Amino acid sequence: MLTYTIRRIGIAIPTLILIALTIFLLLELAPGDPMAQVPLTVPAEVKQQMRLALGLGEPLPLRFWKWSVQVFWIEPQVFVDWLTRDSWLLGWLPDTNLYDGRLRVISWQTRGPVFDIIVQRLPQTLWVVGLAYVVGVLIAIPIGIISAYRQYSWFDNAGTFVSMIGFSVPPFFSGVLVIVIFSVQLGWFPSIYDTTHRVTDWDSFVLQFKQMIMPVMVLALQTTAQISRYMRASMLDNFGQDYVRTARAKGLRERSVVLVHVLRNSMIPVVTVVALGVPAIFGGAIITEQVFKVNGIGQLFITALQANDLPMVLTVAFIFAVLIIVFNLIADLLYGILDPRIRYD
Amino acid sequence: MTDAAGPKPGLAAAGAVTPAEVEPIPLDEPTGSQWRDVWRQFRSHRGAMAGLMVFGVILLAVLIGPWLWPYDPTETDIRARNTRWIFACLALPWGEVGSCFLDPASSGLKASWTHPFGTDQLGRDLLARLMGGGRVSMAVGVAAMALALVLGTAVGVAAGYFRRVDGLLMRFTDLFLALPLLPLLLVAVLLFRDQLNAALGPEYGIFVLIVFGIGITSWMPTARIVRGDVLALKEREFILAARAVGTRDGGMIARHVLPNVLSPIMVSATLGIATAIITESALSFLGLGFPPDFPTWGRLLFDGVDYLQSYPERVVWPGLAISLTVLAVNYIGDGLRDALDPRLRGR
């Protein structure tokens, strides 16, 4: 297992660097000029100096190197400092003072560190997207089990149809549709997600619940559609196996055959699919956040893109890439733990 | 002779006179029979047939509709702006519904039979825009799918057939799979929009950009499936036989490999159209797709969101068009997969 893990990590790290380079080069090809909004009365040489001040005058490899140092070396220092100083988890440790005031990744929009803004936006995304994913998986697994156990029953057919709809109706339509129905026509839920809302008592909790239910359900529909199909296929694969017949033959109750023997073995591929789906749902959050006006990380990306804020775009896109790679790694390792045959490939 | 043939005239006639009529028994036609079998299987899949019909109707509507319908998608009629669609009459009190349908103007509702789907804030006919937008969305879907298919098949066949490039190409595919595609697509559209617009004109520039963007970000699943199938094919005897008679690599791929990996390619083609349409709509919905005077379904949806409260039909129709098309295409792909791969039937 250790060599397997090392081999997987050995593949992941070069991939990550290559991806960072790809995104960097793509942005490098960009014709956009951060000085485009500066008034025309500013002389050209002053503009040139402003560009230099943003670090644009340096040659390309040097800038990539500096950005990498900032992301991989300086930002972790800041993070560790924060962990040992302010976080509730590790705040009891003695304060580390690793960060020595060197330049961090600076946004061209706000002239502040990019990671500070990302940290502000991340909780909203995590709450909505993360909760949606958990809800989606929790709905999908029982649906998959029942669909497989009662294959071709009305429940199975309905499940197939609903998951087809989940695949086919894009979130920017299902989101808008639920807004039309539940916010405009019925007036049950607010159509805009209020991120400044604080939960202090029962009433504010109810409000929070109401404003979360639509984005969470829209995202969960997509997740449910995918995961329930995988669950069903995986259960069906296992129902045909010899050990199921053995379990039944030795007189186990149907309940424990299905929920212990078959379910545990069926979960192996599903767990990896669940892990692999996490990054995709962050990408999909770009759209859902736009529909429900959640100011999470996806919305941050869109606004940075429109404002030509290249450091922010680069960093956020890189974070998406890191998520993909990390969860691919997690999926690989989980598969290795759950199914020992995989380790010896 | 006549006596013997008398009781069974049909048999004698068939045997003696028209042997051609007996021909269609599948065994005599090895190449035709496979596709006939596929079609027979496909027809037995109810969802796929329904999908095919819905897709056909939508395709006909967007192809022929703009010629039949008198309005142009970009023609503005400012007097008729913000017309509701005709079924908004149903929201009136029960007694007025009938008169509203007969003469919408008399009921105080701004609706008319000249624009049955209503118009937008500039008085552009929504039905014409839906049909025109459908043309663009479908064209983007098909073109992007074709590009992704060519790329994916080329990479997949090369990786599966030539052992030397296999590792490199598959690493490359993995790298592409690990890229955050939607964010990068958004970046690419925003960055290269102006240059391509200057080079090719605002409409074709963005069309080319979006098709290329979607094409180069969605070939990876096809490449992987094709590679797997080619690897399995290479072990088969007929490939060995072809090699023994001295078939070169080019001929081998064209004559023996490609026809045998056609079924997974066809399935990915169908599903590719669906994803391409969704991606294009997503880009347009984020405001980074086609310009506003060039309607696509995603763009119409995006424009309609601002008028959501008063004119829900402006959002519902384009969204329904996207969803129905994608649903139909997905069902067709499902049926096709079942028909082409008997092992998967019933999954």
Side-chain angles (χ1 to χ4, degrees):
Chain A
M1 192 66 209
L2 188 66
T3 51
Y4 176 78
T5 312
I6 291 171
R7 205 165 59 213
R8 291 289 143 176
I9 294 177
I11 295 173
I13 289 174
T15 316
L16 204 57
I17 294 171
L18 260 177
I19 286 176
L21 190 64
T22 313
I23 304 174
F24 189 82
L25 288 177
L26 183 65
L27 290 176
E28 205 48 50
L29 291 169
D33 180 8
M35 294 298 118
Q37 305 293 325
V38 173
L40 289 172
T41 48
V42 175
E45 58 267 29
V46 178
K47 269 192 188 176
Q48 191 54 36
Q49 279 176 353
M50 289 164 83
R51 265 186 217 115
L52 288 179
L54 288 176
L56 277 175
E58 310 288 345
L60 200 148
L62 187 65
R63 274 188 290 143
F64 183 63
W65 170 248
K66 291 208 157 179
W67 177 81
S68 310
V69 169
Q70 285 171 343
V71 169
F72 291 110
W73 185 241
I74 300 177
E75 294 295 343
Q77 291 179 348
V78 177
F79 182 66
V80 170
D81 282 354
W82 172 83
L83 268 187
T84 53
R85 195 176 55 242
D86 295 327
S87 67
W88 54 267
L89 187 65
L90 295 168
W92 50 272
L93 284 169
D95 287 2
T96 51
N97 285 309
L98 297 172
Y99 177 60
D100 49 4
R102 287 163 72 191
L103 192 61
R104 299 171 64 187
V105 186
I106 297 294
S107 158
W108 289 350
Q109 273 174 300
T110 62
R111 305 285 194 257
V114 165
F115 275 89
D116 287 0
I117 305 170
I118 292 175
V119 167
Q120 286 170 10
R121 300 296 189 90
L122 212 49
Q124 284 86 286
T125 302
L126 281 181
W127 262 113
V128 176
V129 173
L131 197 68
Y133 203 56
V134 172
V135 169
V137 171
L138 286 182
I139 298 174
I141 287 179
I143 290 182
I145 296 173
I146 301 174
S147 289
Y149 191 63
R150 303 235 177 273
Q151 198 187 2
Y152 302 133
S153 64
W154 66 266
F155 185 90
D156 184 25
N157 290 333
T160 310
F161 184 69
V162 169
S163 62
M164 261 305 191
I165 291 196
F167 275 123
S168 308
V169 181
F172 48 84
F173 179 51
S174 50
V176 168
L177 199 64
V178 293
I179 290 181
V180 169
I181 296 172
F182 295 108
S183 297
V184 178
Q185 303 292 335
L186 299 172
W188 289 355
F189 309 120
S191 73
I192 291 177
Y193 187 90
D194 177 10
T195 38
T196 59
H197 182 69
R198 292 273 163 274
V199 178
T200 49
D201 52 1
W202 177 248
D203 288 340
S204 60
F205 173 76
V206 170
L207 187 66
Q208 176 70 14
F209 185 77
K210 274 184 167 177
Q211 71 174 354
M212 279 183 88
I213 196 161
M214 285 200 306
V216 166
M217 279 307 164
V218 164
L219 272 174
L221 175 68
Q222 310 254 304
T223 313
T224 307
Q226 275 182 4
I227 307 283
S228 69
R229 289 292 91 187
Y230 273 107
M231 190 72 220
R232 174 176 180 272
S234 174
M235 290 285 282
L236 282 177
D237 273 347
N238 276 288
F239 269 124
Q241 305 254 329
D242 290 341
Y243 74 86
V244 180
R245 197 182 317 130
T246 311
R248 281 186 179 139
K250 75 182 183 187
L252 283 181
R253 277 174 307 161
E254 192 62 15
R255 218 180 124 100
S256 62
V257 171
V258 176
L259 292 183
V260 180
H261 289 68
V262 178
L263 181 62
R264 279 178 65 166
N265 284 297
S266 310
M267 284 305 282
I268 295 173
V270 175
V271 164
T272 60
V273 170
V274 169
L276 287 176
V278 174
I281 199 143
F282 272 93
I286 294 180
I287 293 166
T288 323
E289 286 179 1
Q290 203 71 11
V291 173
F292 291 100
K293 315 277 190 288
V294 183
N295 64 344
I297 197 162
Q299 197 258 358
L300 177 70
F301 184 79
I302 296 284
T303 45
L305 201 55
Q306 280 159 352
N308 216 345
D309 182 358
L310 294 189
M312 179 84 84
V313 172
L314 178 60
T315 313
V316 176
F318 182 67
I319 288 178
F320 284 130
V322 171
L323 280 174
I324 295 178
I325 300 221
V326 165
F327 279 97
N328 277 354
L329 193 64
I330 291 176
D332 274 356
L333 295 184
L334 273 178
Y335 216 115
I337 294 170
L338 295 173
D339 190 347
R341 287 169 298 180
I342 298 293
R343 283 178 236 160
Y344 307 106
D345 56 347
Chain B
M1 171 104 192
T2 41
D3 276 353
K8 303 171 194 164
L11 190 84
V17 187
T18 52
E21 279 182 14
V22 199
E23 266 317 49
I25 290 173
L27 280 176
D28 298 332
E29 259 185 304
T31 48
S33 76
Q34 187 200 348
W35 295 108
R36 193 166 311 142
D37 181 50
V38 165
W39 172 239
R40 202 165 43 83
Q41 279 295 333
F42 186 80
R43 262 188 324 194
S44 69
H45 193 294
R46 265 179 301 168
M49 283 313 280
L52 196 62
M53 267 182 260
V54 171
F55 187 68
V57 168
I58 295 177
L59 202 62
L60 275 183
V62 302
L63 285 182
I64 299 174
W67 283 323
L68 301 179
W69 191 241
Y71 300 99
D72 188 76
T74 52
E75 176 189 326
T76 57
D77 177 6
I78 208 73
R79 282 170 203 278
R81 73 179 213 273
N82 290 338
T83 308
R84 294 299 309 268
W85 73 307
I86 196 75
F87 281 92
C89 283
L90 290 177
L92 292 174
W94 189 238
E96 299 170 31
V97 170
S99 64
C100 172
F101 270 112
L102 291 175
D103 182 18
S106 68
S107 61
L109 190 75
K110 191 164 180 184
S112 78
W113 282 105
T114 42
H115 300 290
F117 278 56
T119 60
D120 68 359
Q121 72 279 8
L122 295 173
R124 293 175 292 195
D125 184 71
L126 194 61
L127 182 58
R129 283 171 78 70
L130 273 176
M131 292 187 298
R135 274 188 172 186
V136 182
S137 289
M138 292 268 192
V140 168
V142 172
M145 173 275 289
L147 181 63
L149 213 59
V150 170
L151 278 175
T153 311
V155 172
V157 169
Y161 192 80
F162 302 106
R163 187 173 290 272
R164 271 166 296 140
V165 290
D166 186 17
L168 186 72
L169 282 178
M170 280 299 111
R171 279 276 80 83
F172 187 62
T173 312
D174 286 346
L175 177 71
F176 256 81
L177 278 172
L179 285 172
L181 294 177
L182 184 64
L184 284 191
L185 210 50
L186 291 171
V187 171
V189 170
L190 196 78
L191 298 183
F192 301 110
R193 188 165 51 179
D194 296 334
Q195 287 166 327
L196 272 172
N197 283 355
L200 298 168
E203 285 156 14
Y204 291 103
I206 195 84
F207 183 84
V208 168
L209 180 59
I210 287 184
V211 165
F212 263 84
I214 299 176
I216 24 191
T217 51
S218 55
W219 53 269
M220 295 82 74
T222 319
R224 283 192 150 183
I225 297 169
V226 169
R227 171 181 172 268
D229 276 27
V230 172
L231 278 179
L233 268 182
K234 257 173 53 179
E235 306 298 318
R236 302 270 291 272
E237 283 83 2
F238 71 91
I239 297 284
L240 190 67
R243 192 176 296 288
V245 298
T247 316
R248 285 170 203 283
D249 285 338
M252 185 82 100
I253 289 173
R255 197 167 310 149
H256 299 293
V257 174
L258 275 183
N260 281 298
V261 291
L262 206 58
S263 37
I265 295 179
M266 277 171 65
V267 176
S268 352
T270 350
L271 301 179
I273 294 182
T275 29
I277 289 177
I278 287 200
T279 314
E280 184 275 317
S281 312
L283 289 179
S284 295
F285 181 78
L286 293 170
L288 288 165
F290 286 90
D293 53 347
F294 196 63
T296 72
W297 285 335
R299 181 78 214 189
L300 291 178
L301 188 58
F302 175 65
D303 291 342
V305 168
D306 294 340
Y307 303 92
L308 188 63
Q309 279 190 307
S310 320
Y311 306 98
E313 66 268 18
R314 285 187 205 167
V315 173
V316 171
W317 283 113
L320 216 54
I322 298 171
S323 308
L324 266 182
T325 311
V326 173
L327 190 67
V329 170
N330 276 341
Y331 263 113
I332 294 173
D334 215 31
L336 209 55
R337 188 173 47 208
D338 284 3
L340 290 170
D341 191 348
R343 283 167 304 175
L344 283 172
R345 275 170 206 161
R347 279 290 166 84

